[in-house]
Amino acid sequence: MLSLTYRGFQYAQSMRFAIEEINNSTELLPGVSLGYKMYDTCSSIARSVGVALAMSNSNEVVYETLKTLCTRPAQVQAIIGETSSSPCMAIATVVGPFHIPQISPFATCACLSDKSKYPSFLRTIPSDYYQSRALAQLIKHFGWTWVGAIRSNNDYGNHGMATFTETAQQLGICLEYSVAFFRTDPPNKILNIIKIIRHSTSKVIVAFLDNMDMDVLIFTLSQNNLSGYQWVGTESWIGDSYSAEKDKDHILDGAIGLSIPKTHVRGMKEFIIDVKPLSSLSNNMLIEFWETLFSCKFNLSNSSSDNLKQCTGHEDVSGVKHGFTDMSLMPIFNNIYKGVYAVAHALHEILGCNKTCNQPMLLDPFLVLQSVKNISFKTKEGDEVFFNEDGDPPAKYEVINWQPTENGVVDFVKVGLYDAFLPADKQLSLQYKTLIWAQSSKQVPVSVCSEKCSPGTHKVLQKGRPLCCFDCTRCADGEISNTTDSISCVQCTSELWSNDRRDVCVKKEAEFLSYEEMMGALLTAASLCGTCMTAVVAFIFFTYRKTPIVRANNSELSFLLLFSLTLCFLCSLTFMGRPSEWSCMLRHTAFGITFVLCMSCVLGKTVVVLMAFRASLPGSNVMKWFGPTQQRLSVLVFTLIQVVICVLWLTISPPFPFKNLKVVKDRIILECALGSAVGFWAVLGYIGFLALLCFVLAFLARKLPDNFNEAKFITFSMLIFCAVWLTFIPAYVSSPGKFSVAVEIFAILASSFGLLICIFIPKCYIILLRPDKNTKKKMMGKGEQSML
């Protein structure tokens, strides 16, 4: 017997509508009428098991042909129901071994798709497997990564939330809390859930609750005035007008969720509300229903309440605004309708019906079950009905939004669609313009544990907290992130570097010693200054070329030395600018050859001083062995040796332009690689050898008697030269990038200035400022021979 719940009565009426429509049809099961028995489990698992046992052991089934009514022993061929997952599981466990098909219009637990446990279970509503995943995608779509979750403490809520949690984690959504309750739980347990919500930071709550549990929660929320949260609901309550009526304080306004697509079945509404109690006065259920619906009594007695009136049985049900006349659950009624028709089509196939069906026979439930699994048909409204291998229909949902109207009634507005069988990027479609959010806001709520990390930063998880809680850390030098919420930074390639915002890799700046920068300009100025000074000295020497001080110690070597010093100053300029193949080869070879030419001249002048002293001794004719021809030849030989070394260096492994990416990380150092390090150090070593030889010879001749002993000045110049180049080596090796080039130029200029100043400036001083000393007498010591 049905209890007086309007939903249960509506479900029963929709089933009766489908059966009567089939029985009146001449196309489906012609000549055969379906019979039925109805039971009310009162959502009790124990009662569901009892009903299942009663139906499994039933020994009567009614077949009504057009002419004859007969009763024969038979089993129940199919069960339509239950509407909750847990009772369905109990019934399916009992009837499964008997292969009796059970078709539920409203049990959504994904666990019921397990055919090893529930082989005979089917349903006309999608599995929560799809709904849970759809909810997770819906939440991800709005950017909510930090949510709370409340579920019914039954199979429906626990299994559904488990699937939702798994999918949410895959999509990067974190649950701040996940709590469960059942409507019969003590009040303090539900109040504890209210406390958890109050102390949470998430602003979005996923409610995986059946409608009765939701009604209890709505009452508690209203009592505690807990508003301002964005609720996301399941098909169990999001489209239920009863739940909306319970929310008198509009706590859930703006709620969004998934609902079974709205539908219309012609004639069903009229049939459901077409209740005729006078024709069924023997049915106590109908009488009690009528009396409750219209607040009247058929049989008034003296003990009856004065507020009650006499029932006439002719009251107009359609004119009553009541939960019973509300057709918001038409999608569920349609699911019942589809289930009944699925059984009818299966029987139609088994009985081989055409214009008429075969004589009624004792049917095997197993055959009925197999036939139901394989059926495929369209209802009169055009809905396609079939079951997949798990006994589930196609998963399609409407996205419903609770929007308050001016009269305070909630309007269920369709704002989108979800179709699980479309490609992943097209499954969810939404209409943003029609959405209303919590507290009637037009802005999408924000519910995140941490704000998004902008490009240029990456996530660093907070210790001991969920993945959605993180800090945003700036990318290191040379790394970028060009997406929001980047997990890590990407290293730029060797020739690229991160910009200031760390969101783009830009080409590294090329660095080399250029004329435009301050250091390059100063070195260039020093080089040109040295060149000019050398030219001035050469001019002075040329002007006073016949004076004793110029003619002393071979004026030809002096002019050749001045020429080589000019080349030394100018060769420093080859180290400037962007390195190229020709400049790299030129700078080192020009440096090596010009300095050897310079050292050869100095060495010749030093030897001349020594030979001149030997020549002043009685009986010595040393000077004929080191005359002008020998001096020129020595300079040529010493220089040719360096030329040969340079040619071998350039032939075997010449210097080449090189991009140094290691010295400085954020810039490309353009420099000249040595090619053969042996060649470079051979060139430098040969110069050093000549310089050391000059220094030793000059040092030995420093105290020779002469009023103007050039050996002293050569000694000072070689001392400066050797000191410069000895300090050059460690400075050159340790200097990064263009500074190594600057060190080399400085060494060239310093040693060149040392030679120019120490050897020639004292002579220029005497020529210009002390001409009285520029005489043959003053140039010679007392009693010594002339060195002219």
Side-chain angles (χ1 to χ4, degrees), residues 515-661:
Y515 298 100
E516 289 80 11
E517 60 181 300
M518 179 62 69
M519 183 167 58
L522 290 175
L523 291 174
T524 302
S527 174
L528 296 176
C529 180
T531 304
C532 292
M533 285 181 62
T534 307
V536 170
V537 171
F539 176 76
I540 294 172
F541 266 54
F542 181 78
T543 303
Y544 296 93
R545 61 186 179 278
K546 294 183 179 180
T547 60
I549 198 169
V550 176
R551 295 177 63 195
N553 204 321
N554 197 329
S555 60
E556 187 176 320
L557 283 180
S558 296
F559 283 108
L560 187 58
L561 178 58
L562 287 170
F563 173 72
S564 63
L565 283 174
T566 302
L567 295 179
C568 288
F569 281 117
L570 291 176
C571 81
S572 64
L573 298 178
T574 63
F575 289 81
M576 301 287 220
R578 180 183 290 270
S580 62
E581 289 187 9
W582 70 268
S583 68
C584 286
M585 291 188 290
L586 177 64
R587 64 174 59 172
H588 288 100
T589 53
F591 155 70
I593 294 171
T594 54
F595 262 82
V596 165
L597 178 61
C598 183
M599 288 297 101
S600 300
C601 294
V602 174
L603 182 61
K605 289 174 74 65
T606 307
V607 172
V608 167
V609 172
L610 287 171
M611 293 301 103
F613 178 74
R614 289 286 183 182
S616 64
L617 297 176
S620 176
N621 58 352
V622 175
M623 284 303 296
K624 71 177 182 178
W625 298 106
F626 201 74
T629 303
Q630 288 81 2
Q631 294 171 20
R632 297 188 197 100
L633 187 62
S634 66
V635 170
L636 179 62
V637 171
F638 284 134
T639 305
L640 283 177
I641 293 173
Q642 183 74 306
V643 172
V644 171
I645 295 174
C646 290
V647 169
L648 289 174
W649 182 16
L650 296 179
T651 303
I652 298 171
S653 181
F656 57 90
F658 170 67
K659 293 180 179 180
N660 193 331
L661 304 173

Side-chain angles (χ1 to χ4, degrees), residues 2-3 5 8 11 15 39-49 51-52 55 78-92 95 101-109 112 121-125 183 210-212 332 335-336:
L2 280 170
S3 64
T5 59
Y11 297 158
M15 179 177 170
Y39 296 88
D40 184 11
T41 63
C42 299
S43 298
S44 167
I45 296 176
R47 188 158 182 172
S48 297
V49 172
V51 170
M55 289 187 288
I79 300 171
I80 307 297
E82 237 267 2
T83 55
S84 297
S85 295
S86 295
C88 270
M89 293 168 67
I91 295 173
V95 303
Q102 175 191 358
I103 305 176
S104 172
F106 205 36
T108 58
C109 180
L112 287 164
F121 179 82
L122 304 98
R123 51 185 158 198
T124 51
I125 190 171
R183 51 187 170 273
D210 64 32
N211 58 305
M212 288 183 281
I332 310 303
N335 286 345
I336 297 171

Side-chain angles (χ1 to χ4, degrees), residues 241-272:
S241 59
Y242 296 167
S243 298
E245 288 178 7
K246 294 275 186 181
D247 186 21
K248 299 185 184 299
D249 295 327
H250 296 276
I251 300 292
L252 303 183
D253 280 359
I256 192 170
L258 302 176
S259 176
I260 304 167
K262 292 179 181 178
T263 188
H264 173 72
V265 182
R266 284 170 289 168
M268 182 176 282
K269 177 181 178 180
E270 293 76 14
F271 184 90
I272 289 175

Side-chain angles (χ1 to χ4, degrees), residues 50 60 150 152 223 301 309 449 513 532 536 643 670 709 712 736:
E60 284 191 350
I150 305 174
S152 293
Q223 280 189 322
S301 61
K309 58 184 178 180
C449 182
L513 190 61
C532 292
V536 170
V643 172
L670 299 181
N709 189 351
K712 295 178 182 179

Side-chain angles (χ1 to χ4, degrees), residues 408-464:
V409 177
V410 172
D411 187 14
F412 303 117
V413 179
K414 174 184 171 183
V415 294
L417 289 171
Y418 178 87
D419 190 340
F421 291 93
L422 290 176
D425 59 335
K426 296 181 180 179
Q427 289 178 347
L428 182 65
S429 60
L430 293 169
Q431 302 167 1
Y432 277 91
K433 292 183 179 179
T434 58
L435 278 166
I436 297 294
W437 302 105
Q439 296 181 322
S440 299
S441 172
K442 296 288 186 180
Q443 298 294 324
V444 180
V446 177
S447 186
V448 294
C449 182
S450 300
E451 293 295 330
K452 292 183 177 181
C453 289
S454 59
T457 63
H458 67 103
K459 294 180 180 179
V460 176
L461 297 180
Q462 296 177 359
K463 188 175 181 180

